[in-house]
């Protein structure tokens, strides 16, 4: 009996030690003479859910996500895979749920369909949304080529709730591109400067082009001082218009970070549209403890005069939105309580007590689990 | 008794952070002195260079006033999560010093600074700009589980680097023979 117990203990100790050592063995980032195994398949993603209440009793604020009123709702489950072998990598990221589908989606199979096994018809919606699907190749340590369907390089905020500080989104995010399909080349001059240039499909947020790949995109990244990065972005095409964008963040102290996003969009000429939008958003954030960070988003957004309609104020008018957000971390789980106040410059674009009004306010409590 | 000892061994094997100690400035340090019987100072210095070039080529070497002392800085990745969910959680920068004398040498790693990684919009884990946490302060900034894990990974990395260095310092490497491809002549039976 003692021998069996001893054998079990030795086996457990060996397995336990080996597993722990293997799990904690760090990889050197330098080149080794010995053969270094390629990084393993990386599996990551997030799950999010939220409660939202609009103080008017109506869904009001037209920016992306969390649009219902007095509802416990779900965002999406986001599942990403990444693998690198030598100089070649791929990323595949799929999302399931309203945030990743109907609220941000290029519908993969639009049109009327007959549901299998019935005579019922309805509008087809794809059952998932691809967030990223691309392959990339490091030609050298400094030069990378990437092709596929990628999260846009424009703007401060993204679809994934795990990568945003605020849970609701800005007008600039909602009205800008979410994803672009195309081919891009990035050259890293140093840790402080890199340049990307690429050619993308004729329209934003589509898996395939209408019939042309004629949108040009470029991004200049500079890091003037430690902790400060700035991205100067341009995307322009005869079908999708021209957006110029500045996205920058500066970690000024250990606790305080300041972000800024400014953009200007002009619709393409020759398609019967005029106008566009412009705006600026400021993102100060202060870590008050190792678990809690408080932040604010102050945004000014205006729709240019013309016949182009934005998810925002009417042409020639503007809206100001102030969002107070906290991030409370409990391991991989982040609770995000948020209060948002929007105010339009002229027209009564919001609804309150069955009457139109110029301001809106809402409360959101979201939970985002990232892995 | 032996069973208990086995479990104790397993526990000790996990606590790689115990390999680190504090220096006179209260900074984490991994410090080792090693004998190299019969080897002169210049031989040892040459072997250090020979070691660094292929094994840790991304370590940036700095000049020092002491000709027997080599100083460099590098970084290594630390991981979190388990199984399929294991991925980069950050990187730890360090300063490496190797000093040689006749028949002995010493080396130490210190100045550890943790930079957390975040997932970017393209699905990659990348450094958070401007976030740098000295390893001494990591317990105040991160949860205990993560802090202990990164300290353990630091201890493991230091030991691994030291073990490789010792191998290069004590072993004589014969020049590589040019590999001759095996050829078969088919014009003769």
């Amino acid at each position: 009996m003692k021998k069996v117990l001893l054998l079990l203990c030795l086996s457990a100790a060996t397995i336990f030690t080996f597993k722990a050592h293997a799990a904690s063995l760090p990889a050197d980032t330098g080149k080794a003479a010995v053969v270094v195994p390629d990084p393993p398949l990386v599996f990551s993603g997030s799950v999010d859910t939220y409660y939202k209440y609009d103080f008017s009793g109506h869904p009001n604020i037209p920016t992306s996500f969390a649009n219902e009123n007095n509802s416990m709702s779900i965002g999406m489950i986001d599942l990403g895979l990444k693998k690198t072998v030598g100089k070649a990598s791929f990323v595949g990221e799929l999302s399931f749920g309203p945030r990743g589908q109907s609220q941000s989606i290029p519908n993969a199979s639009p049109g009327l369909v007959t549901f299998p096994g019935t005579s019922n018809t309805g509008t087809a919606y794809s059952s998932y949304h691809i967030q990223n699907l691309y392959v990339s190749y490091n030609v050298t340590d400094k030069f990378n080529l990437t092709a596929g369907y990628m999260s846009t390089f424009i703007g401060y905020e993204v679809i994934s709730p795990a990568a945003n500080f605020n849970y609701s989104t800005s007008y600039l995010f909602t009205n800008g591109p979410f994803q672009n399909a195309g081919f891009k080349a990035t050259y890293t001059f140093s840790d402080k400067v890199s340049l990307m240039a690429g050619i993308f499909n004729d329209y934003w947020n589509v898996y395939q082009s209408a019939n042309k790949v004629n949108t040009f995109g470029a991004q200049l990244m500079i890091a003037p001082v430690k902790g400060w990065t700035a991205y100067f972005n341009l995307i322009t095409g005869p079908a999708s218009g021209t957006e110029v964008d500045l996205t920058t963040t500066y970690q000024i102290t250990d606790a305080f970070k300041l972000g800024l996003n400014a953009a200007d969009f002009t619709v393409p000429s020759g398609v019967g549209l005029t106008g566009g939008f412009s705006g600026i958003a400021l993102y100060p954030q202060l870590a008050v403890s190792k678990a809690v960070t408080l932040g604010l988003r102050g945004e000014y957004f205006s729709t240019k005069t013309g016949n182009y309609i934005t998810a925002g104020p009417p042409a020639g008018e503007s809206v100001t939105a102030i969002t107070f957000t906290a991030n409370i971390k409990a391991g991989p789980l982040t609770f995000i309580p948020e209060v948002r106040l929007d105010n339009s410059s002229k027209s009564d674009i919001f609804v309150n007590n069955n009457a139109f009004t110029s301001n809106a306010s809402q409360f959101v409590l979201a939970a985002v689990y990232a892995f | 008794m032996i069973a208990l000892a086995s479990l104790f061994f397993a526990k000790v094997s996990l606590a790689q952070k115990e390999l680190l100690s504090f220096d006179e400035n209260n900074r984490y340090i991994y410090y080792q002195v090693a004998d190299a019987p019969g080897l002169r100072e210049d031989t040892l210095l040459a072997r250090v260079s020979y070691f660094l070039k292929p094994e840790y080529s991304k370590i940036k070497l700095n000049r020092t006033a002491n000709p027997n002392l080599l100083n460099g800085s590098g970084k290594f990745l630390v991981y979190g999560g388990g199984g399929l969910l294991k991925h980069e959680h950050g990187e730890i920068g360090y300063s490496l010093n190797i000093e040689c004398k006749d028949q002995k040498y010493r080396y130490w790693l210190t100045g550890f600074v943790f930079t957390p990684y975040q997932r970017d919009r393209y699905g990659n884990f990348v450094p958070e700009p401007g976030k740098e946490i000295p390893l001494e302060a990591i317990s105040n900034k991160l949860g205990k589980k993560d802090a202990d894990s990164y300290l353990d990974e630091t201890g493991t990395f230091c030991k691994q680097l030291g073990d490789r260095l010792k191998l290069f310092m004590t072993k004589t490497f014969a020049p590589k023979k040019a590999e001759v491809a095996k050829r078969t002549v088919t014009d003769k039976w």
Side-chain angles (χ1 to χ4, degrees):
Chain A
M1 183 63 191
K2 275 183 183 174
K3 278 184 181 174
V4 173
L5 186 64
L6 176 62
L7 196 64
L8 279 173
C9 286
L10 276 170
S11 305
T14 307
I15 292 166
F16 193 43
T17 307
F18 174 77
K19 277 196 167 180
H21 180 70
S24 65
L25 196 66
D28 178 32
T29 50
K31 282 180 184 170
V34 292
V35 177
V36 177
D38 290 312
L41 182 71
V42 174
F43 189 58
S44 63
S46 65
V47 169
D48 63 300
T49 183
Y50 62 94
Y51 171 78
K52 182 196 149 179
Y53 184 77
D54 192 298
F55 293 107
S56 70
H58 302 268
N60 249 329
I61 295 173
T63 55
S64 305
F65 318 135
N67 301 117
E68 309 83 353
N69 174 52
N70 196 21
S71 171
M72 188 73 219
S73 303
I74 57 172
M76 65 182 189
I77 175 167
D78 187 37
L79 304 170
L81 285 173
K82 179 181 179 181
K83 176 69 180 167
T84 300
V85 175
K87 294 180 171 185
S89 303
F90 84 82
V91 170
E93 185 184 350
L94 295 174
S95 59
F96 305 81
R99 187 178 178 113
Q101 285 177 243
S102 54
Q103 294 168 5
S104 64
I105 192 173
N107 198 339
S109 51
L112 206 63
V113 294
T114 302
F115 295 113
T118 72
S119 58
N120 299 332
T121 58
T123 306
Y125 289 99
S126 53
S127 57
Y128 58 88
H129 177 30
I130 293 169
Q131 301 288 340
N132 280 293
L133 194 165
Y134 64 82
V135 293
S136 74
Y137 188 78
N138 291 324
V139 181
T140 68
D141 281 354
K142 292 177 180 291
F143 187 50
N144 172 270
L145 299 173
T146 302
Y149 184 73
M150 296 153 277
S151 183
T152 187
F153 55 94
I154 300 280
Y156 191 92
E157 298 179 20
V158 296
I159 292 174
S160 168
N164 288 338
F165 183 83
N166 310 96
Y167 191 76
S168 69
T169 54
S170 67
Y171 287 91
L172 284 171
F173 167 78
T174 296
N175 288 282
F178 292 166
Q179 276 116 350
N180 301 105
F183 169 77
K184 64 182 182 180
T186 306
Y187 191 83
T188 304
F189 295 92
S190 70
D191 290 348
K192 296 183 181 225
V193 183
S194 71
L195 180 67
M196 179 280 287
I199 192 81
F200 301 91
N201 280 350
D202 40 13
Y203 291 97
W204 303 343
N205 315 333
V206 291
Y207 296 144
Q208 297 103 19
S209 74
N211 62 3
K212 286 180 180 165
V213 184
N214 58 0
T215 298
F216 172 74
Q219 178 179 70
L220 172 67
M221 186 284 289
I222 58 168
V225 296
K226 204 169 195 177
W228 184 10
T229 51
Y231 298 87
F232 298 91
N233 303 311
L234 165 73
I235 189 161
T236 181
S240 53
T242 299
E243 183 163 352
V244 182
D245 175 274
L246 166 65
T247 297
T248 179
T249 56
Y250 187 14
Q251 187 74 43
I252 297 170
T253 68
D254 276 354
F256 184 65
K257 182 164 93 172
L258 185 63
L260 181 143
N261 183 206
D264 181 89
F265 171 72
T266 306
V267 295
S269 56
V271 294
L273 289 173
T274 54
F277 64 81
S278 60
I280 185 166
L282 207 59
Y283 299 81
Q285 288 157 18
L286 179 69
V288 293
S289 74
K290 61 183 175 184
V292 180
T293 302
L294 304 176
L296 185 142
R297 176 181 58 211
E299 182 182 19
Y300 170 84
F301 179 90
S302 71
T303 304
K304 293 179 183 176
T305 306
N307 59 6
Y308 180 73
I309 298 168
T310 64
E317 297 188 24
S318 63
V319 64
T320 307
I322 306 288
T323 308
F324 301 93
T325 305
N327 277 198
I328 303 161
K329 289 197 177 291
L333 185 61
T334 305
F335 293 100
I336 310 177
E338 182 176 291
V339 174
R340 175 168 173 165
L341 312 164
D342 285 26
N343 189 48
S344 72
S345 61
K346 287 183 195 165
S347 301
D348 293 337
I349 59 172
F350 304 112
V351 178
N352 193 3
N353 293 327
N354 296 322
F356 287 101
T357 176
S358 64
N359 52 61
S361 52
Q362 68 176 33
F363 169 77
V364 173
L365 175 60
V368 180
Y369 187 103
F371 53 87
Chain B
M1 190 67 183
I2 297 172
L4 283 174
S6 302
L7 287 173
F8 176 74
F9 169 71
K11 179 73 181 166
V12 168
S13 300
L14 286 173
Q16 295 292 318
K17 69 176 177 182
E18 304 300 333
L19 296 169
L20 304 173
S21 55
F22 285 100
D23 68 6
E24 51 273 63
N25 299 313
N26 277 330
R27 296 197 309 169
Y28 276 115
I29 188 169
Y30 178 84
Y31 182 86
Q32 298 281 306
V33 181
D35 291 325
L39 293 174
R40 289 169 56 88
E41 177 186 292
D42 51 354
T43 306
L44 290 171
L45 279 169
R47 288 189 180 184
V48 170
S49 302
Y50 185 61
F51 160 73
L52 288 175
K53 208 168 184 181
E55 291 282 308
Y56 294 91
S57 63
K58 286 196 175 172
I59 291 180
K60 291 176 187 166
L61 285 173
N62 308 312
R63 288 179 184 277
T64 65
N66 180 354
N68 301 331
L69 174 65
L70 288 171
N71 168 260
S73 55
K75 58 192 176 187
F76 60 92
L77 297 173
V78 288
Y79 293 86
L84 267 180
L85 300 180
K86 182 182 175 185
H87 60 73
E88 309 96 313
H89 270 200
E91 64 185 33
I92 294 179
Y94 60 88
S95 168
L96 167 68
N97 300 276
I98 306 175
E99 188 173 15
C100 301
K101 284 188 173 181
D102 287 344
Q103 307 200 49
K104 66 179 177 180
Y105 63 95
R106 62 177 182 162
Y107 59 93
W108 64 99
L109 289 93
T110 189
F112 300 105
V113 177
F114 173 72
T115 301
Y117 274 24
Q118 63 185 359
R119 192 167 174 273
D120 72 4
R121 61 183 65 201
Y122 308 113
N124 303 305
F125 288 93
V126 296
E128 273 189 57
K131 283 255 175 139
E132 291 187 340
I133 306 169
L135 214 55
E136 297 76 25
I138 204 164
S139 303
N140 302 327
K141 303 277 184 182
L142 303 176
K144 188 178 183 317
K145 190 181 165 193
D146 285 339
D148 285 349
S149 169
Y150 303 153
L151 285 166
D152 279 341
E153 291 191 52
T154 304
T156 304
F157 175 81
C158 293
K159 185 174 184 313
Q160 192 183 52
L161 186 144
D163 290 347
R164 285 192 190 181
L165 175 65
K166 281 177 188 166
L167 191 70
F168 273 74
M169 296 300 254
T170 54
K171 197 172 171 184
T172 309
F173 290 89
K176 261 192 173 180
K177 286 182 182 172
E179 283 186 16
V180 181
K182 191 179 175 185
R183 293 183 193 285
T184 303
V185 179
T186 56
D187 58 350
K188 288 176 188 171
W189 287 84

